[in-house]
Amino acid sequence: MKKIITLLVAALFTASSIFAASYSSIKVNKLQSGDNNYVLEDEAGSIYLYDETMGIQHIIGSVTSDCVSVRCIWSSTSIASIWDYILNGSKATKGIDDFTLSKYTAGSTSFTYNASESLDNMQWGSNYYVFIAKFKDGSYKHSTLTLYIHQGSGYERGKPVIYLYPQKKTTVSVKVSPKGGVTESIPEYKNGWKVSATPDGKLTDKKTGKEYPYLFWESNDFTGEVDTSEGFVVETAELEKFFVEKLTFLGLNEKEIADFNEFWIPEINKSEKPYTFITFNSMDKINSEAPLVISPKPDSIIRVYFEYLALDEAIETKEQTLTPAERSGFAVVEWGGKKTK
């Protein structure tokens, strides 16, 4: 029943726009953040922000010239909780901030809403905003924004590469949708890759005709600091031996392991620390953070993504139990890791 009532409240705001002038509108355009922050927007319009200190953020919006006021309601839980708040008479509620923009001048076509922890309208994690514009004829329209704020030291999904091994020469379409967006790619990603793949793993880009050994991509990684509760503590000098053993168990072949070690061992050795903590993400986590869609559908997919932390001395951790993978038929293999920017 509560869900039905909440939907009705949202519907009232939608219905009220029918009586506004046909051109009346409100829209949240962008988030203006500091130079050291990373801001990304997904296909649903949600914004992901990496911020070391969670400083003040400026949310920029636009309205038509018949707007007389702009109100913003923030919730720490959901958009639905904002509609519930309105339905209950806008009574003071924990986790809700309600503010009419005092610096907005009627007739202006843009507005700025400031959000910060000190203003009690922003927090680490999830933030939900409903912007409500009132127009000269007394009608209303609204626009919503979902903002996810992550704290950390600035990570990226470093050099994930995808190998394709069809059983015969096949045209293959590949799409990867990391939460942090695709920031680098070879060949150029745009809305996905389309390649001709052969059983030996040779890939030919259908757009350019160029050949590649694998598909390369990178992304921002907003999953936070490395969790050291479960994994492996390895002497840095023994990393090659460690990775050969574990990656073989996880299903990678000799060439793929050699490619992995060629990139990652020098990268980890930059720290010059005697020990390294290593942990591997589960397949469920990898698929959640970076969904992968391939057509035609492969018979087997192996995805390996690891996180590491350079150590001055060994630490106590629970040894991680890994699940072996099987390669069969049309096989797809991917490896990558969390890298500090």
Side-chain angles (χ1 to χ4, degrees):
M1 182 65 180
K2 183 178 181 180
K3 182 177 180 180
I4 294 172
I5 294 173
T6 301
L7 292 173
L8 286 172
V9 176
L12 286 173
F13 276 93
T14 303
S16 69
S17 66
I18 296 173
F19 303 103
S22 60
Y23 60 83
S24 299
S25 67
I26 178 171
K27 181 181 179 182
V28 178
N29 296 324
K30 64 179 181 178
L31 180 72
Q32 188 176 57
S33 196
D35 293 338
N36 295 322
N37 299 335
Y38 305 94
V39 181
L40 291 155
E41 184 172 342
D42 67 13
E43 294 180 354
S46 299
I47 294 178
Y48 295 80
L49 167 70
Y50 159 74
D51 189 348
E52 292 184 352
T53 60
M54 195 164 66
I56 192 167
Q57 306 300 324
H58 309 289
I59 300 172
I60 313 297
S62 61
V63 288
T64 46
S65 58
D66 58 333
C67 180
V68 295
S69 67
V70 178
R71 174 188 180 190
C72 180
I73 305 174
W74 166 82
S75 170
S76 60
T77 56
S78 66
I79 294 293
S81 68
I82 295 176
W83 299 127
D84 287 342
Y85 163 78
I86 294 171
L87 180 69
N88 292 325
S90 302
K91 297 176 182 178
T93 304
K94 185 178 180 181
I96 295 281
D97 180 75
D98 189 345
F99 182 73
T100 298
L101 278 60
S102 57
K103 292 186 178 181
Y104 173 77
T105 303
S108 296
T109 55
S110 64
F111 63 87
T112 300
Y113 175 78
N114 297 324
S116 71
E117 191 172 26
S118 62
L119 293 173
D120 294 325
N121 59 359
M122 192 170 72
Q123 65 176 11
W124 293 115
S126 303
N127 296 268
Y128 305 90
Y129 301 89
V130 173
F131 292 85
I132 302 169
K134 182 178 180 179
F135 299 95
K136 288 180 180 179
D137 60 2
S139 62
Y140 298 84
K141 283 189 176 180
H142 73 275
S143 180
T144 63
L145 170 68
T146 301
L147 172 64
Y148 301 101
I149 304 180
H150 303 268
Q151 185 179 26
S153 55
Y155 294 105
E156 63 183 353
R157 303 182 81 82
K159 200 182 178 179
V161 296
I162 302 170
Y163 303 83
L164 305 173
Y165 303 102
Q167 293 182 294
K168 61 181 180 180
K169 188 175 181 180
T170 306
T171 296
V172 183
S173 297
V174 180
K175 288 191 175 184
V176 63
S177 305
K179 290 182 178 179
V182 175
T183 56
E184 299 286 343
S185 62
I186 301 174
E188 187 177 12
Y189 180 76
K190 289 191 175 179
N191 295 318
W193 293 290
K194 191 171 186 179
V195 297
S196 175
T198 57
D200 61 359
K202 184 187 298 182
L203 308 179
T204 304
D205 183 16
K206 300 292 280 188
K207 294 178 184 176
T208 65
K210 293 182 178 180
E211 292 186 359
Y212 300 91
Y214 45 63
L215 304 173
F216 160 83
W217 63 276
E218 286 189 337
S219 170
N220 290 295
D221 186 321
F222 295 130
T223 55
E225 301 296 326
V226 177
D227 181 358
T228 60
S229 62
E230 187 174 354
F232 308 90
V233 176
V234 185
E235 289 186 28
T236 303
E238 299 294 321
L239 280 174
E240 183 173 359
K241 179 181 178 182
F242 170 83
F243 280 130
V244 168
E245 176 189 336
K246 299 304 180 187
L247 296 178
T248 299
F249 183 79
L250 291 171
L252 274 63
N253 66 25
E254 194 171 306
K255 180 185 181 301
E256 294 154 2
I257 294 170
D259 291 344
F260 178 100
N261 283 337
E262 181 182 15
F263 177 79
W264 280 108
I265 290 179
E267 182 67 28
I268 297 172
N269 279 332
K270 288 178 182 178
S271 70
E272 299 183 346
K273 301 288 187 181
Y275 295 93
T276 304
F277 170 80
I278 304 284
T279 186
F280 294 91
N281 286 184
S282 68
M283 184 65 83
D284 285 345
K285 183 174 182 180
I286 296 171
N287 290 335
S288 173
E289 293 296 326
L292 181 64
V293 177
I294 298 174
S295 179
K297 187 177 179 180
D299 298 301
S300 58
I301 298 178
I302 298 171
R303 306 187 76 185
V304 175
Y305 187 79
F306 82 105
E307 303 178 24
Y308 74 94
L309 189 66
L311 303 170
D312 289 309
E313 57 185 27
I315 61 172
E316 293 292 327
T317 187
K318 179 183 177 183
E319 183 171 328
Q320 187 175 15
T321 300
L322 302 178
T323 303
E326 292 186 9
R327 300 168 74 123
S328 62
F330 174 16
V332 173
V333 177
E334 178 191 52
W335 57 254
K338 177 180 280 191
K339 178 183 172 186
T340 303
K341 291 186 177 182

